[in-house]
Amino acid sequence: GVGLGRGGEERAEEEHTACVTEVDDQLRHTMAYANDVKLFGKWSYDEIEVNDMALEDYIAVKPKVAVYVPHTAGRYQAKRFRKAQCPIAERLACSLMMHGRNNGKKLMANRIVKHTFDVINLLTDQNPIQILVDAVINSGPREDATRIGSAGVVRRQAVDVSPLRRVNQAIWLLTTGAREAAFRNIKTLPECLADELINAAKGSSNSYAIKKKDEIERVAKANR
């Protein structure tokens, strides 16, 4: 009788362990789902690659800085280089609200970014965050010409561009191109921005940003 009792105890213990592991698995699954922050609840930050070593620290797409909406209300301009920690989608949204009539309308900018990402996904079947990252990497000029000289004699001197300025200028060129394309046009701003980002990510010269970047680098090369 003693042996049977022990067998029963062991079976009960096994069942209990199985139950606990199942609950653990469920918990872990729920936690993973909760921890998996997706932009606009759709786009995952996993497997996003920054293919340019120089810009890795300046394009914030690591799961650590993942946000659901690009509206963190952080004080990114308080200190030098702090804006490098700002989520890249939020920097895009901030750059969209320019030209007096759009100043401070961040909810509008966020809506535009959201629609843009939907359009990008429909056109390319890729993760729009990855497209945005590639576009930023491709549209920042790597070399620029600065003005040197005072009192009349002005010559241009070619200089290298720092990674942060490359990111800043890339975002500015992308949004400016989209804004100009959408102005006095039937196409909406999200559609124009999506086209701009996709072309820039491909490195195609149909993109305003890529054209500008090539022009800037050409001028710099002439002034070496």
Side-chain angles (χ1 to χ4, degrees):
V2 178
L4 214 160
R6 194 175 296 135
E9 276 174 20
E10 279 174 7
R11 203 172 307 123
E13 203 164 285
E14 276 172 19
E15 280 175 12
H16 175 69
T17 336
C19 187
V20 167
T21 45
E22 196 179 332
V23 170
D24 270 359
D25 283 348
Q26 282 176 341
L27 250 172
R28 204 168 294 126
H29 185 72
T30 323
M31 286 304 290
Y33 188 74
N35 290 340
D36 190 20
V37 177
K38 293 185 173 176
L39 184 62
F40 298 121
K42 288 183 191 174
W43 316 117
S44 164
Y45 286 90
D46 304 331
E47 280 102 50
I48 299 287
E49 290 179 351
V50 181
N51 298 321
D52 190 324
M53 217 171 82
L55 303 182
E56 263 172 15
D57 301 336
Y58 293 93
I59 298 181
V61 285
K62 299 265 189 314
K64 200 174 67 179
V65 289
V67 286
Y68 287 108
V69 259
H71 195 312
T72 59
R75 302 182 13 167
Y76 294 111
Q77 305 295 337
K79 198 156 170 257
R80 190 178 177 193
F81 293 122
R82 192 177 294 170
K83 57 175 141 181
Q85 263 70 59
C86 182
I88 192 76
E90 181 166 358
R91 299 206 58 191
L92 183 72
C94 291
S95 184
L96 280 170
M97 40 182 199
M98 283 191 186
H99 284 322
R101 56 184 187 171
N102 304 326
N103 284 5
K105 299 183 184 175
K106 193 155 183 181
L107 296 183
M108 182 173 86
N110 281 355
R111 197 189 67 231
I112 290 171
V113 172
K114 185 177 179 180
H115 291 334
T116 302
F117 279 11
D118 289 337
V119 174
I120 289 178
N121 182 251
L122 288 172
L123 289 176
T124 62
D125 290 333
Q126 283 173 284
N127 187 338
I129 306 179
Q130 183 64 58
I131 297 276
L132 171 63
V133 169
D134 292 346
V136 168
I137 289 173
N138 288 343
S139 1
R142 292 158 297 193
E143 191 181 25
D144 203 346
T146 181
R147 292 174 49 135
I148 285 206
S150 55
V153 188
V154 171
R155 50 183 281 269
R156 311 288 298 273
Q157 170 67 37
V159 289
D160 297 333
V161 180
S162 74
L164 184 61
R165 177 160 167 85
R166 275 175 64 186
V167 174
N168 297 347
Q169 211 165 357
I171 294 172
W172 185 81
L173 287 170
L174 291 164
T175 51
T176 306
R179 193 180 295 116
E180 286 184 10
F183 190 58
R184 295 197 180 163
N185 197 343
I186 305 172
K187 267 177 100 167
T188 60
L189 185 52
E191 287 169 357
C192 292
L193 186 57
D195 283 348
E196 179 72 32
L197 289 174
I198 290 167
N199 284 332
K202 283 192 299 206
S204 131
S205 56
N206 294 351
S207 144
Y208 171 91
I210 297 283
K211 264 190 278 198
K212 281 285 183 199
K213 170 202 157 188
D214 289 343
E215 185 188 332
I216 290 171
E217 288 186 350
R218 203 171 53 242
V219 170
K221 194 174 179 196
N223 291 310
R224 271 182 191 163

